[in-house]
Amino acid sequence: MASMLEFRTPGFNPYAVKYSPYYDSRLAVSASANYGIVGNGRLFVLGLGPAGIQLEKGFDTNDALYDLAWSEINENQLVVACGDGSLKLFDLTAPGDFPVMNFNEHNREAFSVCWNPIAKDSFISSSWDGTIKIWSPSRPTSLKTLPVGNCTYSAAFSPTNPSIISCVSSDSHIRIFDLRSPVSAKYHLTTVIPAHAPPQTSDPTAPLPLLSTGQTFAGAVPAEILTHDWNKYRDTVIATGGVDRLIRTFDLRNPRAGPASVLPGHEYAVRRLAWSPHASDVLASASYDMTVRVWSDGSPAHQQQPQPQPNTIPVGTQLGVMNRHAEFATGVDWCLFGTGGWLASAGWDQRVLVWDAHTLLRGG
C-alpha cells in the first residue's frame, strides 16, 4: 500500500490515536508501558510534515494512558484518561512537562474521555468504576456523575446535541442520557438498548429475523461492548463493537427494533470504531485481529446495496482491510480535513501508521 507514514513508540504500547480538530498535520497518541498492565504512560504529540511524522512534544505519566481527547476550546490542550483513575489536562505551550490540571474522582481505571463538540466548555470521562463524570476544564471537581453500574469502556457526546451522552459497557448495553430530562431516580437515563437482544416485535410467535446473509439472529450471546461512535450525518445512529467481533449499528429512534445493520468480518474483538466525518455510510474499525477495516453500513448513501428482505437485518459491506500492524490494533481516527481518505491507526506493536484509505479502497 502506498502513502503510508510510520512513527514508532519504543517501550510504549498505544491505546488511542486522535487527529487534532484544528490541524490536519497534528495528532496525538496515548500509550502505556508493558501493554498497560503495569508501569508508566506517555502522551505523544506528533506533527506530519515533509520529513514524515515527527515528535512535537511528549508527556510522561505515572500510570498507563488509555484514551485522549483534544480540547475543543484550546488548540494546544488535550486531556488523557489514566490507569489510576485520574484525568490530566496537558498544554503544549505550558512550561515544563506537567499537566495544567488534574482530576481525581474515579476510583478505578479511567478508560475513555470525550470533549463536548457543541458546548465546548465541558468533557466527559468513563471508568471501570461504573460511572461517567462530566467536567469543566477549569474546575478540579466534576460537574455531575452519571451512574452506569457496570465497567464503562466508552462514553461520548452526541455530535449535534450537547445534552445527550451515550455509553457502552461490560453488560452489553447501550445507554443514552439526556441532561435536559428530570434527574428523578434514573439520573437522566432515557434509553437502554440491549445490543445483543433480538428485535422486539408485537407478535411473540414471529420467527426471529435473519441477517441478510441468511444467518439467524438467534443465539446472540451478550458480550462486552468495548467501543462505540455516533454517526456524524445521521445523529440518531450509533455503531458498537466489542468482544463478539461484530459491529452493529442502531437507530435511536427505534431502540426496540434491534440492529439497523450488522458488519461481520473481524476475527477477534473490535477495539475502536470511528464513523467517517466525510461520508454518512462509512466507518473504520480497529481490532485485536491486528487489522483496521473500512466499511459501508449499507445505508442509502451506498446505492448499490440491495434493499433487505422483510424480517432481515442488513449486512454491511467491507470496503477494505489494512493489515500492516503486527499486534493488536487499538486505535483509529479519521482526519477531519482534506478529501476524506486519511486515517491514523495505532497498535500494540508500538507503531502509529498514517495512511490513505482511498488507496485501501482501490486495493492498493
Side-chain angles (χ1 to χ4, degrees), residues 14-16 65-67 111-112 128 153-154 225-228 241-243 245 247 266 268-273 285-289 291 328-332 346 348:
Y15 267 84
L65 295 187
Y66 293 133
D67 200 15
F111 214 65
S112 80
W128 292 10
Y153 290 114
S154 173
I225 308 176
L226 303 177
T227 180
H228 79 301
V243 171
R245 305 171 295 175
I247 298 168
H266 277 299
Y268 291 101
V270 179
R271 179 62 183 83
R272 186 78 65 164
L273 287 174
S285 58
S287 166
Y288 290 161
D289 67 11
T291 68
F328 291 172
T330 52
V332 65
W348 276 8

Side-chain angles (χ1 to χ4, degrees), residues 34-70:
N34 305 306
Y35 306 97
I37 299 169
V38 64
N40 298 341
R42 180 171 292 174
L43 173 64
F44 298 85
V45 180
L46 308 176
L48 282 65
I53 308 178
Q54 303 289 326
L55 179 67
E56 290 188 357
K57 190 143 187 181
F59 298 96
D60 289 311
T61 57
N62 291 331
D63 213 313
L65 295 187
Y66 293 133
D67 200 15
L68 72 111
W70 286 94

